Amino acid sequence: MRENLTHLLTRYRRAFSEFSNGQKAVAIVGTGALLLAAFLVFRWVSAPTYAPLYTNLQSSDASSVIDELNKEGIKYKLAANGSTIEVPQNAVYSTRISLSGKNLPAGNSAEDGGYTLLDNQSLSTSDFQEQTNFKRAMEGELDKTLEAMTGVQTAVVHLAIPEKQVFSDEQDPTTAAVLLQLDTGTTLSAQQVQAVVHLVASSIDGLDPGDVTVTDQNGNVLSAPANADGTSAASTQSQQTEDFENDMKTEVQQVLDKVVGAGNATANVTANLNFDQKTTDTLTYGKATTVPSLSDTKSTEKYQGPASGASAVGGVVGPDGQMDSTTTGGSGNSTYTKNNVTSDNGVDQTRQHTVTAPGAVQNIHIGAVIDSAAIGAISPAQVKQLIASSLGINAARGDTIDVTTMPFNKTAAQAAAKELATAQAAADHAKRMKLIRDLGLGAIVALIILLAWLRARRRTKAREDATSYVVEQLRADAEARAAALEAVSNPALAALEAAEESEAENLRQELNELVDQQPEDVATLLRGWLVERPR
């Protein structure tokens, strides 16, 4: 084995010494590249795959976990600004079990809030301590709930719950302050902020959404209750008006771009919105003629007696109850009949309570300018009519549209387009050069491989030619000796022939081994023989 290795190294050293300087450089660079690639592949294969052990850790918990991992000699990596700890994938579950036995991380312990604060209540706990623990528990639960939202890294909630006033008509309102630490580059939308406000307000009894203040880690107020002067409400109204105007402007611009092309028109929209909330109560009475009455009453009165002026007995009641009789003279009789009909009908009542939401559009004013060089045969009146029909402009409401044409100054746009074209040309040139470089390197590598293959092929052919030549020479010598031995009939010569044949066979085997082990040396020797043979 040792001799074969020594012989192999000797052959490689001899072959390398026959290379030219360029071939030697290529061989050294190629061998180094192969070794480097093998090292990188081995390192990539042997490197462990990391998986998250814990995420969204507090700094104190992360420090405790890292100390324990260092004690146990477990490799780890930090991610997400230190709030996520990663360990090798095959050690995730065992590491979690080991750390949980040591109460790590302690983020869910009673010290950090949550309903676990209420687990250790005793009979000696005062009412103040009980209320304080309840407030801390609610704050801790809200913290963990808000941290579950996408983009929120850490949340801190402070509740101000006033004591209940039993003998007072007025109760101080419950308020809340929320501090959010957002992920880098994350901005909460207005809808997400409202979600935070309503989530906190719905979790606390008696908490109005208007009494919740939300801020971020930079001190920006995301949502705040309205002040006495209505500052917050005015800010909200201004934002709503601006959003409405931007939406209308986008629609107008889309119409103009389709008519005259992009960049040939611009528009501006001013809207007046009514943010007054209006409540209307209406009570209407009606009667259904087809519905029968609830009750009917009929009465009839008839009279028959002396007419006016006839004699009658009457008088005034005296103090003893007797009546003084008086007699009036007269003659004739009187008769009459009186009928009375009363019907009770049901009355329909319609009560309507209407609340008009704030934000109704009072009027819209649209101004559009079109490049006179791009409008062509289209008239401004046609564009005006198209915008009015597309956006539902109501002239009776006070909406106005103004469309004018004038030449546009496109110097800045042309300069920007030229810069973009130059930058694109530079990028295309860089791509072409990179492609040419890659193709050149590929061609060089292919040429080197082709040259190496051709050289190896020439060596193989030379080895085969040398072997064939030696074998033919040996065969010719053997045939010559065999012919000479056949001419002699002496038994001694026959024995000599057998010995010579055995020697020739041994020599043939040695030559074959020599050709296999040192083909270059044999080829060089044969080339020397071929050159010297004509002499």
Side-chain angles (χ1 to χ4, degrees):
M1 181 66 183
R2 183 177 180 182
E3 293 179 356
N4 293 334
L5 181 61
T6 304
H7 181 66
L8 182 63
L9 293 176
T10 302
R11 289 177 57 189
Y12 286 155
R13 185 168 57 252
R14 186 180 295 109
F16 183 76
S17 62
E18 295 179 359
F19 287 173
S20 62
N21 293 332
Q23 292 175 340
K24 290 180 180 179
V26 172
I28 293 174
V29 173
T31 303
L34 290 176
L35 293 176
L36 179 60
F39 172 74
L40 294 177
V41 171
F42 174 77
R43 184 176 181 182
W44 174 71
V45 172
S46 60
T49 302
Y50 285 85
L53 178 65
Y54 296 111
T55 59
N56 294 328
L57 288 176
Q58 301 290 339
S59 57
S60 57
D61 291 337
S63 177
S64 302
V65 171
I66 289 175
D67 292 341
E68 193 63 29
L69 293 178
N70 289 329
K71 291 180 182 178
E72 297 182 4
I74 300 176
K75 296 181 180 180
Y76 64 88
K77 290 171 58 178
L78 297 178
N81 297 326
S83 61
T84 299
I85 299 178
E86 298 179 353
V87 297
Q89 190 173 11
N90 56 359
V92 172
Y93 300 106
S94 59
T95 305
R96 284 181 183 173
I97 295 174
S98 176
L99 293 177
S100 63
K102 300 177 182 179
N103 295 326
L104 290 176
N108 295 329
S109 63
E111 297 179 357
D112 288 344
Y115 286 130
T116 53
L117 283 169
L118 306 178
D119 295 339
N120 299 323
Q121 297 287 345
S122 62
L123 295 176
S124 60
T125 303
S126 64
D127 183 67
F128 175 75
Q129 291 177 337
E130 182 178 354
Q131 294 297 327
T132 302
N133 289 337
F134 175 76
K135 186 172 75 70
R136 291 178 58 196
M138 294 299 298
E139 291 175 348
E141 291 297 325
L142 288 173
D143 292 346
K144 290 183 287 186
T145 302
L146 294 178
E147 288 173 358
M149 295 180 61
T150 303
V152 178
Q153 183 175 354
T154 306
V156 179
V157 178
H158 295 287
L159 300 176
I161 303 177
E163 186 178 358
K164 297 293 184 180
Q165 302 293 332
V166 180
F167 302 102
S168 177
D169 295 335
E170 295 183 358
Q171 175 69 32
D172 295 334
T174 302
T175 59
V178 181
L179 176 63
L180 301 178
Q181 182 177 358
L182 306 178
D183 294 336
T184 303
T186 301
T187 302
L188 295 182
S189 63
Q191 184 177 3
Q192 290 175 318
V193 174
Q194 290 300 316
V196 173
V197 170
H198 287 282
L199 188 149
V200 174
S202 302
S203 302
I204 306 300
D205 184 22
L207 179 59
D208 188 83
D211 294 328
V212 179
T213 302
V214 182
T215 58
D216 60 6
Q217 71 271 23
N218 298 322
N220 298 322
V221 179
L222 305 179
S223 177
N227 299 326
D229 56 355
T231 304
S232 179
S235 177
T236 304
Q237 295 174 7
S238 176
Q239 183 65 36
Q240 292 180 1
T241 303
E242 183 179 356
D243 294 340
F244 178 80
E245 291 175 349
N246 290 334
D247 294 339
M248 296 293 291
K249 180 180 178 181
T250 301
E251 295 182 7
V252 173
Q253 192 65 47
Q254 290 177 354
V255 173
L256 294 175
D257 291 342
K258 292 180 180 179
V259 173
V260 297
N264 295 321
T266 182
N268 192 22
V269 177
T270 301
N272 295 322
L273 305 182
N274 185 5
F275 291 96
D276 297 334
Q277 185 173 355
K278 182 180 180 181
T279 303
T280 304
D281 293 327
T282 304
L283 178 59
T284 305
Y285 295 96
K287 176 184 177 181
T289 58
T290 59
V291 178
S293 59
L294 298 177
S295 63
D296 294 330
T297 304
K298 296 182 179 180
S299 62
T300 302
E301 182 181 355
K302 294 182 179 180
Y303 176 80
Q304 184 177 5
S308 177
S311 62
V313 178
V316 180
V317 180
D320 295 331
Q322 74 277 7
M323 181 178 295
D324 295 337
S325 298
T326 58
T327 303
T328 58
S331 62
N333 295 324
S334 176
T335 302
Y336 77 90
T337 302
K338 178 181 180 182
N339 296 321
N340 188 13
V341 179
T342 303
S343 297
D344 295 331
N345 296 315
V347 179
D348 295 336
Q349 293 184 0
T350 303
R351 295 182 180 272
Q352 185 177 4
H353 180 78
T354 305
V355 178
T356 304
V361 179
Q362 289 184 334
N363 49 61
I364 303 174
H365 305 283
I366 301 175
V369 180
I370 303 176
D371 188 4
S372 56
I375 192 170
I378 303 173
S379 64
Q382 292 176 332
V383 178
K384 180 178 179 180
Q385 181 64 30
L386 178 61
I387 295 175
S389 301
S390 301
L391 302 183
I393 300 302
N394 187 0
R397 188 176 57 185
D399 299 345
T400 60
I401 301 177
D402 185 14
V403 179
T404 59
T405 60
M406 60 180 61
F408 279 19
N409 184 1
K410 297 185 178 181
T411 304
Q414 294 174 356
K418 184 177 180 180
E419 292 180 359
L420 290 176
T422 303
Q424 185 65 32
D428 295 340
H429 179 71
K431 290 182 180 179
R432 287 195 298 270
M433 295 303 297
K434 184 177 182 300
L435 179 61
I436 294 173
R437 182 189 61 188
D438 295 341
L439 292 177
L441 292 176
I444 292 174
V445 172
L447 181 61
I448 293 174
I449 295 175
L450 179 61
L451 292 176
W453 178 75
L454 292 176
R455 183 176 180 84
R457 186 177 180 182
R458 285 198 302 268
R459 291 178 181 175
T460 302
K461 189 174 184 307
R463 187 183 301 111
E464 292 176 354
D465 294 341
T467 302
S468 299
Y469 179 78
V470 172
V471 171
E472 292 295 333
Q473 290 296 326
L474 291 176
R475 185 181 292 110
D477 293 342
E479 291 177 355
R481 291 181 181 179
L485 289 175
E486 290 179 357
V488 180
S489 58
N490 194 343
L493 293 178
L496 179 61
E497 178 184 1
E500 289 181 354
E501 288 181 356
S502 176
E503 182 180 358
E505 184 65 24
N506 294 333
L507 181 60
R508 185 181 294 108
Q509 293 180 357
E510 292 179 359
L511 288 175
N512 289 332
E513 293 178 357
L514 180 62
V515 171
D516 293 335
Q517 295 177 358
Q518 299 180 359
E520 298 294 336
D521 296 339
V522 174
T524 304
L525 179 61
L526 292 178
R527 283 196 294 269
W529 288 354
L530 294 175
V531 173
E532 295 176 356
R533 178 171 294 179
R535 296 180 181 179

